[in-house]
Amino acid sequence: MTLILTASELHTLADMPRTIKAVESAFADISAGLAHQPAPASLSLPPSGGRFIPMSALSAADGLASVKLLADIPANSDRGLPTQRSTIVLVSRSTGETLAILDGRIPTRVRTAAASAVASKVLARSDSSVLGLVGAGALAVAHVHAMLAVLPIKTVVVWSRTAETTDAFQRQVADLELTVVVAASPQDVVESADVLCTLTPASEPVVFGKWFKPGLHVNAVGARPRPEDREIDSAGMVRSRVFVDSLPTATTKSGDLMIPISEGVMSVGDVRGELGDVITGKVLGRTSRDDITLFNSVGIGVLDLAIGRILYDSAVEQSMGLELDLSR
């Protein structure tokens, strides 16, 4: 039987602390060779600007294979539709049975914030108390909850292009014991932050390395999965100790990384390593309080698999979702 889980059901089932733990384990499994994370393909046909990206993974620990098909269609904004949509398929590693089909929106949001939290846990200064957010949408709210689970955050400094977005953000975090400051510019956010998360679908830089202060940790999260799109300028990448979730994936779809490489100011060898290798101790993360560290989060299938395992198990335990026999 195959379990079908909708976005509203997945919202009820999502658990940030469990996801952070699972994501950290997934990164470590890649490092240890217990998970297979290939670079994704990117499918497109001219003249459309849309791209379709199948993100696959295989995990021994979770006993699953998975594929998320991500549709990245910028033109949807003119149609009043989401510019990114996705569906996750979970398959038993032992039998090949399709166990579940999940709407991808909630799992992607939660596991993305969890990945930033894991990166901040191992790369940021442990006493970091000011979280900076460039972007204030639903992903920003998820990042607040994720960061509170790993760091002593007391103040959130946030910027968005519209007051409506920052107003909605403040309402959604009002129940948390935080001081929230709405900044006038991205520069104000960067210069205030101990940990910075960039969460915009920008195609051109919105954050510049000349604003970085010693000791800053950056999670570069929001740019679309395209080698020509980025949020961080080349100077910011060059100034930082750069880590990625998956090097083959980053060199396929990260403009934050590939643009400075194409300009000749960086090379692939300047990437310090994958986050999983920091977790397992194969690679050194932060070396001093003054290091500027940067996690280039491009999104990988093994994280969809990890949160998919949690959500599927929880749904079975709580008898949620619609069961279908796809073989009939």
Side-chain angles (χ1 to χ4, degrees):
M1 299 295 285
T2 300
L3 191 63
I4 312 296
L5 292 167
T6 66
S8 59
E9 290 167 331
L10 293 167
H11 178 77
T12 300
L13 294 168
D15 182 296
M16 185 61 77
R18 287 184 67 194
T19 303
I20 291 171
K21 183 178 180 180
V23 163
E24 184 169 1
S25 295
F27 279 127
D29 286 347
I30 296 172
S31 177
L34 300 174
H36 184 199
Q37 178 55 71
S42 183
L43 313 178
S44 63
L45 288 172
S48 170
R51 296 198 184 190
F52 295 82
I53 302 171
M55 300 169 63
S56 58
L58 179 66
S59 169
D62 287 315
L64 293 175
S66 72
V67 178
K68 179 172 77 176
L69 181 60
L70 170 65
D72 180 53
I73 306 176
N76 268 359
S77 61
D78 297 329
R79 307 178 180 117
L81 298 172
T83 59
Q84 290 192 343
R85 288 170 158 168
S86 60
T87 303
I88 300 170
V89 178
L90 303 179
V91 174
S92 167
R93 179 177 176 237
S94 59
T95 69
E97 178 188 5
T98 300
L99 298 178
I101 299 172
L102 290 67
D103 181 82
R105 178 166 53 97
I106 300 300
T108 300
R109 180 190 305 164
V110 176
R111 64 84 159 151
T112 299
S116 293
V118 172
S120 301
K121 175 184 174 182
V122 301
L123 295 174
R125 296 187 302 192
S126 60
D127 59 352
S128 297
S129 62
V130 180
L131 174 63
L133 302 173
V134 177
L139 188 56
V141 175
H143 270 73
V144 172
H145 288 280
M147 291 301 167
L148 287 173
V150 297
L151 290 171
I153 300 298
K154 302 299 182 187
T155 301
V156 175
V157 183
V158 61
W159 172 86
S160 176
R161 288 185 173 87
T162 68
E164 291 82 3
T165 305
T166 51
D167 288 347
F169 171 84
Q170 289 183 88
R171 289 194 297 271
Q172 292 177 80
V173 300
D175 60 326
L176 305 175
E177 295 182 2
L178 291 169
T179 299
V180 178
V181 178
V182 176
S185 68
Q187 181 175 355
D188 290 342
V189 175
V190 176
E191 292 179 344
S192 300
D194 298 321
V195 173
L196 171 70
C197 301
T198 62
L199 308 170
T200 72
S203 57
E204 299 291 336
V206 291
V207 167
F208 296 84
K210 64 185 178 182
W211 301 338
F212 291 1
K213 66 181 183 182
L216 176 67
H217 172 67
V218 181
N219 297 302
V221 176
R224 294 183 182 281
R226 299 164 181 257
E228 65 273 14
D229 287 10
R230 60 175 174 171
E231 294 180 291
I232 313 293
D233 77 336
S234 295
M237 299 295 287
V238 170
R239 288 194 65 193
S240 304
R241 289 177 59 83
V242 175
F243 302 86
V244 297
D245 42 18
S246 164
L247 191 58
T249 302
T251 54
T252 300
K253 63 176 188 175
S254 172
D256 286 304
L257 177 62
M258 296 312 296
I259 292 173
I261 289 175
S262 70
E263 293 172 346
V265 297
M266 280 186 73
S267 70
V268 174
D270 290 323
V271 177
R272 303 291 178 163
E274 295 185 349
L275 186 61
D277 290 337
V278 179
I279 293 167
T280 59
K282 294 181 180 179
V283 171
L284 190 62
R286 175 173 292 274
T287 63
S288 75
R289 285 187 60 80
D290 287 342
D291 277 347
I292 298 169
T293 54
L294 186 147
F295 174 55
N296 185 202
S297 177
V298 290
I300 54 176
V302 75
L303 303 189
D304 299 311
L305 185 154
I307 190 172
R309 176 85 265 177
I310 294 171
L311 294 168
Y312 172 74
D313 289 346
S314 296
V316 171
E317 290 169 5
Q318 299 179 41
S319 300
M320 292 181 66
L322 173 67
E323 284 191 326
L324 293 176
D325 185 353
L326 298 182
S327 66
R328 293 183 63 184

